[in-house]
Amino acid sequence: RQTRIRFKSNAIAIGDATQWNGDRPATDRGKPRHIHHAEGREVDIGLPSSDDSPSLLRRRCEGVLVEQDELKCAPGTVRDLDVRRLAYFLSLLIDGPTPGGRHVADAARRPGPLAVVETILTDQAYIDEIRKALPALRRKRWIHDEAYGALGEEGLLRPSSWHVDHLHIQFQGERAEVPAVLRFQAEPSPAERKAAGPTGG
């Protein structure tokens, strides 16, 4: 919400996250997506647009296949990406929102983040653009020194192939557990019913 107010812009889309029981998305339908997104600590978010189109999980660069099994952004082809908004949003994840979006230099006086970010995966081309935007945001006092340092240094932002249309964010914390009262046996998918064969007698 603070990002939308600051930039007077549309919402940034949320993509895949852990499904209801802690498994990878769509596992209960027999069509699991991703090798990650289990245990409730990972989520995909879209790339904010600069052309008034919805900020969906959509590629904002020219993709190229490297060795036929890695899709990456071609250098210098990033387009229609609101990189200032993206860098600002990521800084809020790291430092946490502040009342009225004010700059609070003393970290001890801030409410702090809602959750601690462990890793952010995306394409190297987007990482380069994010880091270019950081100095101007700090001069405006829109981001704090802690987020500026974390996003500007190696470690938190990590390049990853096939992340040309979104960012993959992993948070620290314990593995998510589904409360017993919410556990139930999902309906089998058509493929699972077919594999099980006829039942009854």
Side-chain angles (χ1 to χ4, degrees):
R1 184 170 181 268
Q2 188 167 313
T3 302
R4 292 188 68 181
I5 293 172
R6 171 74 73 183
F7 288 88
K8 299 179 176 61
S9 57
N10 56 27
I12 299 173
I14 296 176
D16 279 334
T18 305
Q19 71 171 30
W20 60 272
N21 65 348
D23 282 338
R24 292 153 54 195
T27 298
D28 56 356
R29 298 181 182 178
K31 297 179 180 180
R33 298 192 297 270
H34 294 288
I35 58 173
H36 300 290
H37 290 284
E39 303 181 355
R41 299 186 299 126
E42 300 170 73
V43 64
D44 289 341
I45 66 165
L47 298 170
S49 65
S50 62
D51 59 359
D52 296 326
S53 64
S55 297
L56 306 176
L57 279 74
R58 171 184 164 191
R59 194 167 67 206
R60 303 278 175 187
C61 69
E62 295 293 334
V64 293
L65 272 176
V66 180
E67 298 180 358
Q68 301 303 310
D69 60 357
E70 292 188 4
L71 182 64
K72 298 183 178 182
C73 289
T77 65
V78 175
R79 64 182 185 278
D80 301 330
L81 174 66
D82 191 342
V83 67
R84 289 198 316 155
R85 182 155 52 119
L86 178 57
Y88 180 78
F89 173 77
L90 294 178
S91 77
L92 292 182
L93 289 182
I94 296 166
D95 287 341
T98 57
R102 296 192 303 272
H103 185 275
V104 182
D106 185 354
R109 294 180 177 274
R110 295 182 220 136
L114 302 177
V116 178
V117 177
E118 184 172 283
T119 308
I120 302 171
L121 302 177
T122 193
D123 194 272
Q124 182 65 55
Y126 300 139
I127 293 175
D128 293 341
E129 295 299 318
I130 290 167
R131 288 177 174 157
K132 290 177 186 176
L134 294 175
L137 293 175
R138 185 165 70 164
R139 285 195 299 271
K140 288 176 174 286
R141 294 168 64 85
W142 284 7
I143 65 174
H144 298 97
D145 290 344
E146 292 81 4
Y148 178 87
L151 294 171
E153 298 171 359
E154 300 297 328
L156 184 69
L157 275 173
R158 299 183 185 178
S160 180
S161 56
W162 296 101
H163 288 74
V164 296
D165 61 356
H166 69 282
L167 288 88
H168 177 120
I169 301 174
Q170 182 174 16
F171 296 93
Q172 295 180 12
E174 297 296 324
R175 182 183 187 278
E177 296 287 346
V178 179
V181 70
L182 296 179
R183 293 175 189 160
F184 63 92
Q185 185 65 40
E187 288 290 326
S189 67
E192 290 171 328
R193 286 195 292 268
K194 183 177 180 181
T199 58

